[in-house]
Amino acid sequence: GESVGLHLPTLSVQEGDNSIINCAYSNSASDYFIWYKQESGKGPQFIIDIRSNMDKRQGQRVTVLLNKTVKHLSLQIAATQPGDSAVYFCAERGGAGSARQLTFGSGTQLTVLP
Amino acid sequence: GAVVSQHPSRVICKSGTSVKIECRSLDFQATTMFWYRQFPKQSLMLMATSNEGSKATYEQGVEKDKFLINHASLTLSTLTVTSAHPEDSSFYICSARDHLISSYNEQFFGPGTRLTVL
């Protein structure tokens, strides 16, 4: 079946450095992608999203890049802070004609080192 | 806006008992709510899609007679885990879709419910 996966299950970065979290997806019909942050014991928190007609979108300290050719999504966090430590999930949603449900990737644990 | 709550936040029960988890959209109406299950260090897996006033649609492998879903109003969906067993221990997360939002980001998540079955 269709799936969304991540290349790196864990990532450790020094405080102040930039973080890059990657995600591969397999459903070429997906038209919308979201990155979520999940802290321990909490629900997913929306970070940033991107539609399939875009290849880059920027937010506050975060940037999402979408490469539809290789079905790859990345989340870049600038000047990583201790509060950024969490599990990050990418999620994709099918396009028109699908059930339009969110499918989550396997997650990356980001640890920010002091 | 767009706040989703869950109650209880955590529950411990004995094996064989039933547990009900509530999901509420606090400031919007949700014609569709979703229930996810998340085991430790794993991703969110969709269990079922709940549509107000109709039967829920369950994902493959999810027992509909074990996980009873009721979506009787536009702001409340409940998940009842019947005859719970230790393997049902998990983090249950709901999300609600705001049917009035026309933007792509229309689905909002609750804080989750930690279920522990002894």
mmCIF file with all atom_site columns, all heavy atoms in Angstrom, chain A residues 32 36 38 41-43 51 89 93 100-101 104-105, chain B residues 38 43 46 49 91 97 104-107 109-111:
data_model
loop_
_atom_site.group_PDB
_atom_site.id
_atom_site.type_symbol
_atom_site.label_atom_id
_atom_site.label_alt_id
_atom_site.label_comp_id
_atom_site.label_asym_id
_atom_site.label_entity_id
_atom_site.label_seq_id
_atom_site.pdbx_PDB_ins_code
_atom_site.Cartn_x
_atom_site.Cartn_y
_atom_site.Cartn_z
_atom_site.occupancy
_atom_site.B_iso_or_equiv
_atom_site.pdbx_formal_charge
_atom_site.auth_seq_id
_atom_site.auth_comp_id
_atom_site.auth_asym_id
_atom_site.auth_atom_id
_atom_site.pdbx_PDB_model_num
ATOM 1   N N   . TYR A 1 32  ? -0.799  17.242 -0.761 1.00 0.00 ? 32  TYR A N   1
ATOM 2   C CA  . TYR A 1 32  ? -0.636  18.108 0.394  1.00 0.00 ? 32  TYR A CA  1
ATOM 3   C C   . TYR A 1 32  ? 0.199   17.396 1.423  1.00 0.00 ? 32  TYR A C   1
ATOM 4   O O   . TYR A 1 32  ? 0.002   16.202 1.688  1.00 0.00 ? 32  TYR A O   1
ATOM 5   C CB  . TYR A 1 32  ? -2.018  18.462 0.946  1.00 0.00 ? 32  TYR A CB  1
ATOM 6   C CG  . TYR A 1 32  ? -2.039  19.342 2.163  1.00 0.00 ? 32  TYR A CG  1
ATOM 7   C CD1 . TYR A 1 32  ? -1.437  20.590 2.154  1.00 0.00 ? 32  TYR A CD1 1
ATOM 8   C CD2 . TYR A 1 32  ? -2.694  18.928 3.317  1.00 0.00 ? 32  TYR A CD2 1
ATOM 9   C CE1 . TYR A 1 32  ? -1.479  21.410 3.275  1.00 0.00 ? 32  TYR A CE1 1
ATOM 10  C CE2 . TYR A 1 32  ? -2.742  19.740 4.433  1.00 0.00 ? 32  TYR A CE2 1
ATOM 11  C CZ  . TYR A 1 32  ? -2.135  20.979 4.404  1.00 0.00 ? 32  TYR A CZ  1
ATOM 12  O OH  . TYR A 1 32  ? -2.184  21.798 5.499  1.00 0.00 ? 32  TYR A OH  1
ATOM 13  N N   . TYR A 1 36  ? 4.592   17.680 11.445 1.00 0.00 ? 36  TYR A N   1
ATOM 14  C CA  . TYR A 1 36  ? 4.099   17.805 12.810 1.00 0.00 ? 36  TYR A CA  1
ATOM 15  C C   . TYR A 1 36  ? 5.236   17.591 13.787 1.00 0.00 ? 36  TYR A C   1
ATOM 16  O O   . TYR A 1 36  ? 6.159   16.823 13.531 1.00 0.00 ? 36  TYR A O   1
ATOM 17  C CB  . TYR A 1 36  ? 3.016   16.764 13.111 1.00 0.00 ? 36  TYR A CB  1
ATOM 18  C CG  . TYR A 1 36  ? 1.701   16.978 12.406 1.00 0.00 ? 36  TYR A CG  1
ATOM 19  C CD1 . TYR A 1 36  ? 1.404   16.318 11.216 1.00 0.00 ? 36  TYR A CD1 1
ATOM 20  C CD2 . TYR A 1 36  ? 0.730   17.828 12.937 1.00 0.00 ? 36  TYR A CD2 1
ATOM 21  C CE1 . TYR A 1 36  ? 0.193   16.495 10.582 1.00 0.00 ? 36  TYR A CE1 1
ATOM 22  C CE2 . TYR A 1 36  ? -0.488  18.013 12.301 1.00 0.00 ? 36  TYR A CE2 1
ATOM 23  C CZ  . TYR A 1 36  ? -0.741  17.349 11.120 1.00 0.00 ? 36  TYR A CZ  1
ATOM 24  O OH  . TYR A 1 36  ? -1.946  17.526 10.484 1.00 0.00 ? 36  TYR A OH  1
ATOM 25  N N   . GLN A 1 38  ? 5.811   16.358 17.745 1.00 0.00 ? 38  GLN A N   1
ATOM 26  C CA  . GLN A 1 38  ? 5.125   15.701 18.854 1.00 0.00 ? 38  GLN A CA  1
ATOM 27  C C   . GLN A 1 38  ? 6.063   15.579 20.045 1.00 0.00 ? 38  GLN A C   1
ATOM 28  O O   . GLN A 1 38  ? 7.079   14.878 19.971 1.00 0.00 ? 38  GLN A O   1
ATOM 29  C CB  . GLN A 1 38  ? 4.604   14.317 18.458 1.00 0.00 ? 38  GLN A CB  1
ATOM 30  C CG  . GLN A 1 38  ? 3.744   13.671 19.538 1.00 0.00 ? 38  GLN A CG  1
ATOM 31  C CD  . GLN A 1 38  ? 3.236   12.294 19.163 1.00 0.00 ? 38  GLN A CD  1
ATOM 32  O OE1 . GLN A 1 38  ? 3.865   11.561 18.413 1.00 0.00 ? 38  GLN A OE1 1
ATOM 33  N NE2 . GLN A 1 38  ? 2.071   11.921 19.694 1.00 0.00 ? 38  GLN A NE2 1
ATOM 34  N N   . GLY A 1 41  ? 4.122   12.415 25.236 1.00 0.00 ? 41  GLY A N   1
ATOM 35  C CA  . GLY A 1 41  ? 2.842   12.405 25.921 1.00 0.00 ? 41  GLY A CA  1
ATOM 36  C C   . GLY A 1 41  ? 1.826   13.404 25.422 1.00 0.00 ? 41  GLY A C   1
ATOM 37  O O   . GLY A 1 41  ? 0.788   13.613 26.053 1.00 0.00 ? 41  GLY A O   1
ATOM 38  N N   . LYS A 1 42  ? 2.119   14.011 24.262 1.00 0.00 ? 42  LYS A N   1
ATOM 39  C CA  . LYS A 1 42  ? 1.201   15.018 23.726 1.00 0.00 ? 42  LYS A CA  1
ATOM 40  C C   . LYS A 1 42  ? 0.765   14.650 22.306 1.00 0.00 ? 42  LYS A C   1
ATOM 41  O O   . LYS A 1 42  ? 1.349   13.776 21.672 1.00 0.00 ? 42  LYS A O   1
ATOM 42  C CB  . LYS A 1 42  ? 1.868   16.390 23.720 1.00 0.00 ? 42  LYS A CB  1
ATOM 43  C CG  . LYS A 1 42  ? 2.242   16.906 25.109 1.00 0.00 ? 42  LYS A CG  1
ATOM 44  C CD  . LYS A 1 42  ? 2.804   18.315 25.029 1.00 0.00 ? 42  LYS A CD  1
ATOM 45  C CE  . LYS A 1 42  ? 3.154   18.839 26.418 1.00 0.00 ? 42  LYS A CE  1
ATOM 46  N NZ  . LYS A 1 42  ? 3.715   20.228 26.348 1.00 0.00 ? 42  LYS A NZ  1
ATOM 47  N N   . GLY A 1 43  ? -0.246  15.333 21.822 1.00 0.00 ? 43  GLY A N   1
ATOM 48  C CA  . GLY A 1 43  ? -0.697  15.123 20.469 1.00 0.00 ? 43  GLY A CA  1
ATOM 49  C C   . GLY A 1 43  ? 0.193   15.853 19.473 1.00 0.00 ? 43  GLY A C   1
ATOM 50  O O   . GLY A 1 43  ? 1.025   16.681 19.849 1.00 0.00 ? 43  GLY A O   1
ATOM 51  N N   . ARG A 1 51  ? 1.736   22.591 -0.321 1.00 0.00 ? 51  ARG A N   1
ATOM 52  C CA  . ARG A 1 51  ? 0.937   21.956 -1.355 1.00 0.00 ? 51  ARG A CA  1
ATOM 53  C C   . ARG A 1 51  ? 1.848   21.420 -2.448 1.00 0.00 ? 51  ARG A C   1
ATOM 54  O O   . ARG A 1 51  ? 2.975   21.880 -2.610 1.00 0.00 ? 51  ARG A O   1
ATOM 55  C CB  . ARG A 1 51  ? -0.061  22.951 -1.939 1.00 0.00 ? 51  ARG A CB  1
ATOM 56  C CG  . ARG A 1 51  ? -1.003  23.528 -0.917 1.00 0.00 ? 51  ARG A CG  1
ATOM 57  C CD  . ARG A 1 51  ? -2.013  24.448 -1.565 1.00 0.00 ? 51  ARG A CD  1
ATOM 58  N NE  . ARG A 1 51  ? -2.802  25.162 -0.572 1.00 0.00 ? 51  ARG A NE  1
ATOM 59  C CZ  . ARG A 1 51  ? -3.822  25.960 -0.869 1.00 0.00 ? 51  ARG A CZ  1
ATOM 60  N NH1 . ARG A 1 51  ? -4.171  26.153 -2.134 1.00 0.00 ? 51  ARG A NH1 1
ATOM 61  N NH2 . ARG A 1 51  ? -4.498  26.575 0.093  1.00 0.00 ? 51  ARG A NH2 1
ATOM 62  N N   . PHE A 1 89  ? 7.089   14.249 12.580 1.00 0.00 ? 89  PHE A N   1
ATOM 63  C CA  . PHE A 1 89  ? 6.435   13.383 11.607 1.00 0.00 ? 89  PHE A CA  1
ATOM 64  C C   . PHE A 1 89  ? 6.082   14.179 10.364 1.00 0.00 ? 89  PHE A C   1
ATOM 65  O O   . PHE A 1 89  ? 5.588   15.301 10.457 1.00 0.00 ? 89  PHE A O   1
ATOM 66  C CB  . PHE A 1 89  ? 5.124   12.814 12.162 1.00 0.00 ? 89  PHE A CB  1
ATOM 67  C CG  . PHE A 1 89  ? 5.275   11.861 13.302 1.00 0.00 ? 89  PHE A CG  1
ATOM 68  C CD1 . PHE A 1 89  ? 5.135   12.298 14.610 1.00 0.00 ? 89  PHE A CD1 1
ATOM 69  C CD2 . PHE A 1 89  ? 5.542   10.523 13.074 1.00 0.00 ? 89  PHE A CD2 1
ATOM 70  C CE1 . PHE A 1 89  ? 5.267   11.420 15.670 1.00 0.00 ? 89  PHE A CE1 1
ATOM 71  C CE2 . PHE A 1 89  ? 5.668   9.634  14.127 1.00 0.00 ? 89  PHE A CE2 1
ATOM 72  C CZ  . PHE A 1 89  ? 5.535   10.085 15.430 1.00 0.00 ? 89  PHE A CZ  1
ATOM 73  N N   . ARG A 1 93  ? -1.387  13.687 2.311  1.00 0.00 ? 93  ARG A N   1
ATOM 74  C CA  . ARG A 1 93  ? -2.809  13.489 2.084  1.00 0.00 ? 93  ARG A CA  1
ATOM 75  C C   . ARG A 1 93  ? -3.049  13.286 0.597  1.00 0.00 ? 93  ARG A C   1
ATOM 76  O O   . ARG A 1 93  ? -2.464  13.993 -0.231 1.00 0.00 ? 93  ARG A O   1
ATOM 77  C CB  . ARG A 1 93  ? -3.633  14.675 2.584  1.00 0.00 ? 93  ARG A CB  1
ATOM 78  C CG  . ARG A 1 93  ? -5.130  14.414 2.621  1.00 0.00 ? 93  ARG A CG  1
ATOM 79  C CD  . ARG A 1 93  ? -5.858  15.559 3.278  1.00 0.00 ? 93  ARG A CD  1
ATOM 80  N NE  . ARG A 1 93  ? -5.855  16.742 2.430  1.00 0.00 ? 93  ARG A NE  1
ATOM 81  C CZ  . ARG A 1 93  ? -6.200  17.945 2.866  1.00 0.00 ? 93  ARG A CZ  1
ATOM 82  N NH1 . ARG A 1 93  ? -6.546  18.125 4.129  1.00 0.00 ? 93  ARG A NH1 1
ATOM 83  N NH2 . ARG A 1 93  ? -6.185  18.963 2.053  1.00 0.00 ? 93  ARG A NH2 1
ATOM 84  N N   . ARG A 1 100 ? -8.729  11.265 1.203  1.00 0.00 ? 100 ARG A N   1
ATOM 85  C CA  . ARG A 1 100 ? -8.128  12.483 1.750  1.00 0.00 ? 100 ARG A CA  1
ATOM 86  C C   . ARG A 1 100 ? -7.814  12.351 3.236  1.00 0.00 ? 100 ARG A C   1
ATOM 87  O O   . ARG A 1 100 ? -7.978  13.286 4.003  1.00 0.00 ? 100 ARG A O   1
ATOM 88  C CB  . ARG A 1 100 ? -9.017  13.690 1.473  1.00 0.00 ? 100 ARG A CB  1
ATOM 89  C CG  . ARG A 1 100 ? -9.235  13.916 -0.017 1.00 0.00 ? 100 ARG A CG  1
ATOM 90  C CD  . ARG A 1 100 ? -9.953  15.215 -0.302 1.00 0.00 ? 100 ARG A CD  1
ATOM 91  N NE  . ARG A 1 100 ? -9.184  16.389 0.087  1.00 0.00 ? 100 ARG A NE  1
ATOM 92  C CZ  . ARG A 1 100 ? -8.140  16.856 -0.565 1.00 0.00 ? 100 ARG A CZ  1
ATOM 93  N NH1 . ARG A 1 100 ? -7.691  16.253 -1.648 1.00 0.00 ? 100 ARG A NH1 1
ATOM 94  N NH2 . ARG A 1 100 ? -7.521  17.948 -0.124 1.00 0.00 ? 100 ARG A NH2 1
ATOM 95  N N   . GLN A 1 101 ? -7.363  11.187 3.619  1.00 0.00 ? 101 GLN A N   1
ATOM 96  C CA  . GLN A 1 101 ? -6.926  10.987 4.991  1.00 0.00 ? 101 GLN A CA  1
ATOM 97  C C   . GLN A 1 101 ? -5.439  11.258 5.083  1.00 0.00 ? 101 GLN A C   1
ATOM 98  O O   . GLN A 1 101 ? -4.708  11.149 4.106  1.00 0.00 ? 101 GLN A O   1
ATOM 99  C CB  . GLN A 1 101 ? -7.209  9.540  5.416  1.00 0.00 ? 101 GLN A CB  1
ATOM 100 C CG  . GLN A 1 101 ? -8.674  9.171  5.415  1.00 0.00 ? 101 GLN A CG  1
ATOM 101 C CD  . GLN A 1 101 ? -8.874  7.678  5.459  1.00 0.00 ? 101 GLN A CD  1
ATOM 102 O OE1 . GLN A 1 101 ? -7.953  6.922  5.199  1.00 0.00 ? 101 GLN A OE1 1
ATOM 103 N NE2 . GLN A 1 101 ? -10.085 7.241  5.762  1.00 0.00 ? 101 GLN A NE2 1
ATOM 104 N N   . PHE A 1 104 ? 0.772   9.094  8.059  1.00 0.00 ? 104 PHE A N   1
ATOM 105 C CA  . PHE A 1 104 ? 1.951   9.574  8.766  1.00 0.00 ? 104 PHE A CA  1
ATOM 106 C C   . PHE A 1 104 ? 3.183   8.741  8.455  1.00 0.00 ? 104 PHE A C   1
ATOM 107 O O   . PHE A 1 104 ? 3.103   7.523  8.287  1.00 0.00 ? 104 PHE A O   1
ATOM 108 C CB  . PHE A 1 104 ? 1.700   9.542  10.275 1.00 0.00 ? 104 PHE A CB  1
ATOM 109 C CG  . PHE A 1 104 ? 0.854   10.675 10.765 1.00 0.00 ? 104 PHE A CG  1
ATOM 110 C CD1 . PHE A 1 104 ? -0.530  10.633 10.635 1.00 0.00 ? 104 PHE A CD1 1
ATOM 111 C CD2 . PHE A 1 104 ? 1.430   11.795 11.354 1.00 0.00 ? 104 PHE A CD2 1
ATOM 112 C CE1 . PHE A 1 104 ? -1.316  11.687 11.078 1.00 0.00 ? 104 PHE A CE1 1
ATOM 113 C CE2 . PHE A 1 104 ? 0.652   12.846 11.802 1.00 0.00 ? 104 PHE A CE2 1
ATOM 114 C CZ  . PHE A 1 104 ? -0.717  12.790 11.654 1.00 0.00 ? 104 PHE A CZ  1
ATOM 115 N N   . GLY A 1 105 ? 4.324   9.398  8.425  1.00 0.00 ? 105 GLY A N   1
ATOM 116 C CA  . GLY A 1 105 ? 5.591   8.708  8.329  1.00 0.00 ? 105 GLY A CA  1
ATOM 117 C C   . GLY A 1 105 ? 5.983   8.125  9.685  1.00 0.00 ? 105 GLY A C   1
ATOM 118 O O   . GLY A 1 105 ? 5.274   8.291  10.685 1.00 0.00 ? 105 GLY A O   1
ATOM 119 N N   . GLN B 2 38  ? -1.291  5.049  18.741 1.00 0.00 ? 38  GLN B N   1
ATOM 120 C CA  . GLN B 2 38  ? 0.156   5.194  18.644 1.00 0.00 ? 38  GLN B CA  1
ATOM 121 C C   . GLN B 2 38  ? 0.819   4.381  19.735 1.00 0.00 ? 38  GLN B C   1
ATOM 122 O O   . GLN B 2 38  ? 0.665   4.676  20.921 1.00 0.00 ? 38  GLN B O   1
ATOM 123 C CB  . GLN B 2 38  ? 0.557   6.672  18.765 1.00 0.00 ? 38  GLN B CB  1
ATOM 124 C CG  . GLN B 2 38  ? 2.036   6.932  18.557 1.00 0.00 ? 38  GLN B CG  1
ATOM 125 C CD  . GLN B 2 38  ? 2.392   8.401  18.669 1.00 0.00 ? 38  GLN B CD  1
ATOM 126 O OE1 . GLN B 2 38  ? 1.779   9.148  19.424 1.00 0.00 ? 38  GLN B OE1 1
ATOM 127 N NE2 . GLN B 2 38  ? 3.393   8.829  17.914 1.00 0.00 ? 38  GLN B NE2 1
ATOM 128 N N   . SER B 2 43  ? 4.653   5.427  14.876 1.00 0.00 ? 43  SER B N   1
ATOM 129 C CA  . SER B 2 43  ? 3.896   6.511  14.279 1.00 0.00 ? 43  SER B CA  1
ATOM 130 C C   . SER B 2 43  ? 2.420   6.417  14.627 1.00 0.00 ? 43  SER B C   1
ATOM 131 O O   . SER B 2 43  ? 1.980   5.466  15.270 1.00 0.00 ? 43  SER B O   1
ATOM 132 C CB  . SER B 2 43  ? 4.081   6.477  12.760 1.00 0.00 ? 43  SER B CB  1
ATOM 133 O OG  . SER B 2 43  ? 3.494   7.617  12.167 1.00 0.00 ? 43  SER B OG  1
ATOM 134 N N   . LEU B 2 46  ? -3.977  5.299  11.715 1.00 0.00 ? 46  LEU B N   1
ATOM 135 C CA  . LEU B 2 46  ? -5.405  5.588  11.668 1.00 0.00 ? 46  LEU B CA  1
ATOM 136 C C   . LEU B 2 46  ? -6.200  4.327  11.970 1.00 0.00 ? 46  LEU B C   1
ATOM 137 O O   . LEU B 2 46  ? -5.971  3.281  11.359 1.00 0.00 ? 46  LEU B O   1
ATOM 138 C CB  . LEU B 2 46  ? -5.777  6.139  10.289 1.00 0.00 ? 46  LEU B CB  1
ATOM 139 C CG  . LEU B 2 46  ? -7.239  6.499  10.086 1.00 0.00 ? 46  LEU B CG  1
ATOM 140 C CD1 . LEU B 2 46  ? -7.640  7.665  10.988 1.00 0.00 ? 46  LEU B CD1 1
ATOM 141 C CD2 . LEU B 2 46  ? -7.506  6.849  8.621  1.00 0.00 ? 46  LEU B CD2 1
ATOM 142 N N   . THR B 2 49  ? -12.432 6.384  10.777 1.00 0.00 ? 49  THR B N   1
ATOM 143 C CA  . THR B 2 49  ? -12.952 7.715  10.444 1.00 0.00 ? 49  THR B CA  1
ATOM 144 C C   . THR B 2 49  ? -14.402 7.757  10.876 1.00 0.00 ? 49  THR B C   1
ATOM 145 O O   . THR B 2 49  ? -15.193 6.872  10.518 1.00 0.00 ? 49  THR B O   1
ATOM 146 C CB  . THR B 2 49  ? -12.851 7.967  8.929  1.00 0.00 ? 49  THR B CB  1
ATOM 147 O OG1 . THR B 2 49  ? -11.485 7.872  8.539  1.00 0.00 ? 49  THR B OG1 1
ATOM 148 C CG2 . THR B 2 49  ? -13.390 9.352  8.584  1.00 0.00 ? 49  THR B CG2 1
ATOM 149 N N   . PHE B 2 91  ? -1.466  4.899  23.145 1.00 0.00 ? 91  PHE B N   1
ATOM 150 C CA  . PHE B 2 91  ? -1.806  6.320  23.171 1.00 0.00 ? 91  PHE B CA  1
ATOM 151 C C   . PHE B 2 91  ? -2.831  6.540  22.064 1.00 0.00 ? 91  PHE B C   1
ATOM 152 O O   . PHE B 2 91  ? -2.551  6.288  20.892 1.00 0.00 ? 91  PHE B O   1
ATOM 153 C CB  . PHE B 2 91  ? -0.531  7.135  22.921 1.00 0.00 ? 91  PHE B CB  1
ATOM 154 C CG  . PHE B 2 91  ? -0.637  8.592  23.247 1.00 0.00 ? 91  PHE B CG  1
ATOM 155 C CD1 . PHE B 2 91  ? -1.137  9.025  24.461 1.00 0.00 ? 91  PHE B CD1 1
ATOM 156 C CD2 . PHE B 2 91  ? -0.198  9.552  22.343 1.00 0.00 ? 91  PHE B CD2 1
ATOM 157 C CE1 . PHE B 2 91  ? -1.214  10.380 24.769 1.00 0.00 ? 91  PHE B CE1 1
ATOM 158 C CE2 . PHE B 2 91  ? -0.263  10.914 22.645 1.00 0.00 ? 91  PHE B CE2 1
ATOM 159 C CZ  . PHE B 2 91  ? -0.768  11.321 23.861 1.00 0.00 ? 91  PHE B CZ  1
ATOM 160 N N   . ARG B 2 97  ? -11.991 17.410 11.810 1.00 0.00 ? 97  ARG B N   1
ATOM 161 C CA  . ARG B 2 97  ? -11.920 18.213 10.595 1.00 0.00 ? 97  ARG B CA  1
ATOM 162 C C   . ARG B 2 97  ? -12.973 19.294 10.650 1.00 0.00 ? 97  ARG B C   1
ATOM 163 O O   . ARG B 2 97  ? -14.162 19.013 10.851 1.00 0.00 ? 97  ARG B O   1
ATOM 164 C CB  . ARG B 2 97  ? -12.123 17.335 9.363  1.00 0.00 ? 97  ARG B CB  1
ATOM 165 C CG  . ARG B 2 97  ? -12.120 18.092 8.026  1.00 0.00 ? 97  ARG B CG  1
ATOM 166 C CD  . ARG B 2 97  ? -12.375 17.158 6.870  1.00 0.00 ? 97  ARG B CD  1
ATOM 167 N NE  . ARG B 2 97  ? -11.231 16.301 6.616  1.00 0.00 ? 97  ARG B NE  1
ATOM 168 C CZ  . ARG B 2 97  ? -11.287 15.208 5.852  1.00 0.00 ? 97  ARG B CZ  1
ATOM 169 N NH1 . ARG B 2 97  ? -12.418 14.842 5.294  1.00 0.00 ? 97  ARG B NH1 1
ATOM 170 N NH2 . ARG B 2 97  ? -10.204 14.483 5.648  1.00 0.00 ? 97  ARG B NH2 1
ATOM 171 N N   . TYR B 2 104 ? -6.248  24.098 3.217  1.00 0.00 ? 104 TYR B N   1
ATOM 172 C CA  . TYR B 2 104 ? -5.813  22.715 3.263  1.00 0.00 ? 104 TYR B CA  1
ATOM 173 C C   . TYR B 2 104 ? -5.643  22.211 4.697  1.00 0.00 ? 104 TYR B C   1
ATOM 174 O O   . TYR B 2 104 ? -5.896  21.054 4.976  1.00 0.00 ? 104 TYR B O   1
ATOM 175 C CB  . TYR B 2 104 ? -4.498  22.566 2.502  1.00 0.00 ? 104 TYR B CB  1
ATOM 176 C CG  . TYR B 2 104 ? -4.690  22.373 1.019  1.00 0.00 ? 104 TYR B CG  1
ATOM 177 C CD1 . TYR B 2 104 ? -5.377  23.306 0.260  1.00 0.00 ? 104 TYR B CD1 1
ATOM 178 C CD2 . TYR B 2 104 ? -4.195  21.246 0.388  1.00 0.00 ? 104 TYR B CD2 1
ATOM 179 C CE1 . TYR B 2 104 ? -5.569  23.123 -1.101 1.00 0.00 ? 104 TYR B CE1 1
ATOM 180 C CE2 . TYR B 2 104 ? -4.370  21.047 -0.969 1.00 0.00 ? 104 TYR B CE2 1
ATOM 181 C CZ  . TYR B 2 104 ? -5.062  21.991 -1.711 1.00 0.00 ? 104 TYR B CZ  1
ATOM 182 O OH  . TYR B 2 104 ? -5.246  21.798 -3.056 1.00 0.00 ? 104 TYR B OH  1
ATOM 183 N N   . ASN B 2 105 ? -5.197  23.079 5.617  1.00 0.00 ? 105 ASN B N   1
ATOM 184 C CA  . ASN B 2 105 ? -4.973  22.650 6.990  1.00 0.00 ? 105 ASN B CA  1
ATOM 185 C C   . ASN B 2 105 ? -6.292  22.683 7.751  1.00 0.00 ? 105 ASN B C   1
ATOM 186 O O   . ASN B 2 105 ? -6.614  23.644 8.432  1.00 0.00 ? 105 ASN B O   1
ATOM 187 C CB  . ASN B 2 105 ? -3.946  23.546 7.677  1.00 0.00 ? 105 ASN B CB  1
ATOM 188 C CG  . ASN B 2 105 ? -3.644  23.063 9.082  1.00 0.00 ? 105 ASN B CG  1
ATOM 189 O OD1 . ASN B 2 105 ? -3.777  21.883 9.376  1.00 0.00 ? 105 ASN B OD1 1
ATOM 190 N ND2 . ASN B 2 105 ? -3.246  23.972 9.950  1.00 0.00 ? 105 ASN B ND2 1
ATOM 191 N N   . GLU B 2 106 ? -7.055  21.636 7.602  1.00 0.00 ? 106 GLU B N   1
ATOM 192 C CA  . GLU B 2 106 ? -8.411  21.598 8.149  1.00 0.00 ? 106 GLU B CA  1
ATOM 193 C C   . GLU B 2 106 ? -8.574  20.574 9.261  1.00 0.00 ? 106 GLU B C   1
ATOM 194 O O   . GLU B 2 106 ? -9.664  20.424 9.799  1.00 0.00 ? 106 GLU B O   1
ATOM 195 C CB  . GLU B 2 106 ? -9.374  21.246 7.020  1.00 0.00 ? 106 GLU B CB  1
ATOM 196 C CG  . GLU B 2 106 ? -9.029  19.916 6.368  1.00 0.00 ? 106 GLU B CG  1
ATOM 197 C CD  . GLU B 2 106 ? -9.872  19.598 5.139  1.00 0.00 ? 106 GLU B CD  1
ATOM 198 O OE1 . GLU B 2 106 ? -10.584 20.491 4.658  1.00 0.00 ? 106 GLU B OE1 1
ATOM 199 O OE2 . GLU B 2 106 ? -9.824  18.442 4.681  1.00 0.00 ? 106 GLU B OE2 1
ATOM 200 N N   . GLN B 2 107 ? -7.511  19.862 9.601  1.00 0.00 ? 107 GLN B N   1
ATOM 201 C CA  . GLN B 2 107 ? -7.595  18.786 10.574 1.00 0.00 ? 107 GLN B CA  1
ATOM 202 C C   . GLN B 2 107 ? -6.769  19.139 11.800 1.00 0.00 ? 107 GLN B C   1
ATOM 203 O O   . GLN B 2 107 ? -5.595  19.465 11.696 1.00 0.00 ? 107 GLN B O   1
ATOM 204 C CB  . GLN B 2 107 ? -7.090  17.486 9.943  1.00 0.00 ? 107 GLN B CB  1
ATOM 205 C CG  . GLN B 2 107 ? -7.379  16.240 10.731 1.00 0.00 ? 107 GLN B CG  1
ATOM 206 C CD  . GLN B 2 107 ? -7.087  14.976 9.936  1.00 0.00 ? 107 GLN B CD  1
ATOM 207 O OE1 . GLN B 2 107 ? -7.150  14.961 8.719  1.00 0.00 ? 107 GLN B OE1 1
ATOM 208 N NE2 . GLN B 2 107 ? -6.738  13.915 10.642 1.00 0.00 ? 107 GLN B NE2 1
ATOM 209 N N   . PHE B 2 109 ? -5.657  18.193 15.919 1.00 0.00 ? 109 PHE B N   1
ATOM 210 C CA  . PHE B 2 109 ? -5.446  17.038 16.775 1.00 0.00 ? 109 PHE B CA  1
ATOM 211 C C   . PHE B 2 109 ? -5.695  17.333 18.247 1.00 0.00 ? 109 PHE B C   1
ATOM 212 O O   . PHE B 2 109 ? -5.428  18.435 18.734 1.00 0.00 ? 109 PHE B O   1
ATOM 213 C CB  . PHE B 2 109 ? -4.020  16.510 16.601 1.00 0.00 ? 109 PHE B CB  1
ATOM 214 C CG  . PHE B 2 109 ? -3.827  15.766 15.320 1.00 0.00 ? 109 PHE B CG  1
ATOM 215 C CD1 . PHE B 2 109 ? -3.556  16.453 14.142 1.00 0.00 ? 109 PHE B CD1 1
ATOM 216 C CD2 . PHE B 2 109 ? -3.941  14.386 15.270 1.00 0.00 ? 109 PHE B CD2 1
ATOM 217 C CE1 . PHE B 2 109 ? -3.409  15.773 12.941 1.00 0.00 ? 109 PHE B CE1 1
ATOM 218 C CE2 . PHE B 2 109 ? -3.795  13.698 14.080 1.00 0.00 ? 109 PHE B CE2 1
ATOM 219 C CZ  . PHE B 2 109 ? -3.524  14.391 12.916 1.00 0.00 ? 109 PHE B CZ  1
ATOM 220 N N   . GLY B 2 110 ? -6.181  16.307 18.938 1.00 0.00 ? 110 GLY B N   1
ATOM 221 C CA  . GLY B 2 110 ? -6.338  16.390 20.377 1.00 0.00 ? 110 GLY B CA  1
ATOM 222 C C   . GLY B 2 110 ? -5.031  16.062 21.071 1.00 0.00 ? 110 GLY B C   1
ATOM 223 O O   . GLY B 2 110 ? -4.052  15.665 20.439 1.00 0.00 ? 110 GLY B O   1
ATOM 224 N N   . PRO B 2 111 ? -5.002  16.191 22.390 1.00 0.00 ? 111 PRO B N   1
ATOM 225 C CA  . PRO B 2 111 ? -3.781  15.964 23.166 1.00 0.00 ? 111 PRO B CA  1
ATOM 226 C C   . PRO B 2 111 ? -3.480  14.501 23.444 1.00 0.00 ? 111 PRO B C   1
ATOM 227 O O   . PRO B 2 111 ? -2.412  14.180 23.966 1.00 0.00 ? 111 PRO B O   1
ATOM 228 C CB  . PRO B 2 111 ? -4.051  16.715 24.470 1.00 0.00 ? 111 PRO B CB  1
ATOM 229 C CG  . PRO B 2 111 ? -5.534  16.650 24.610 1.00 0.00 ? 111 PRO B CG  1
ATOM 230 C CD  . PRO B 2 111 ? -6.076  16.721 23.226 1.00 0.00 ? 111 PRO B CD  1
#
